[in-house]
Amino acid sequence: MTTLQHVHAALRALAPVGWTIYDDEAPGSAVAPWVVVGLQVPESILAETGSHGGTARWWVTVSAETAGQARVIADACDKAWSGAGVRVPGFTLGALRPGPPSGPYPAGLTALDTNLRFQVVRMPFDLTLSRTE
């Protein structure tokens, strides 16, 4: 049986190459630049046809050493995921629709409370998702 983790893995497989990709959260030892990806699925919505589905969100967070580097990586991520679609048995998925990004903005101190600062861009991509099995 397929699960939402299979959907996450299929979307992650579209990631641009050249940067470290983390699922859901970067470790404290992460070295910039990196990209964090995560799938957010709301409660299902019962459609008139009796099927369950809803709008999911694929979050992409870019962390880089400079704002310029963050913009370059965000652009590569936008090209990789905008309009893309994946097939996962047991699910019907719509194409990814980019939302308005935020950033780059300073992330502040790291979890280790050092003086390192990162520039961050957060990018939402919406997609319809419904389970077919």
Side-chain angles (χ1 to χ4, degrees), residues 81-106:
W81 280 296
S82 288
V86 295
R87 292 178 186 243
V88 177
F91 290 90
T92 299
L93 302 162
L96 290 152
R97 298 177 316 272
S102 61
Y105 58 85

Side-chain angles (χ1 to χ4, degrees), residues 9 17 25 39 43 45 49 53 61 67 78 86 92 96 101 116 124 126 130:
V17 297
E25 184 177 344
L39 181 63
E43 291 182 37
I45 301 165
T49 61
T61 305
D78 185 60
V86 295
T92 299
L96 290 152
L116 295 175
D126 290 339
S130 60

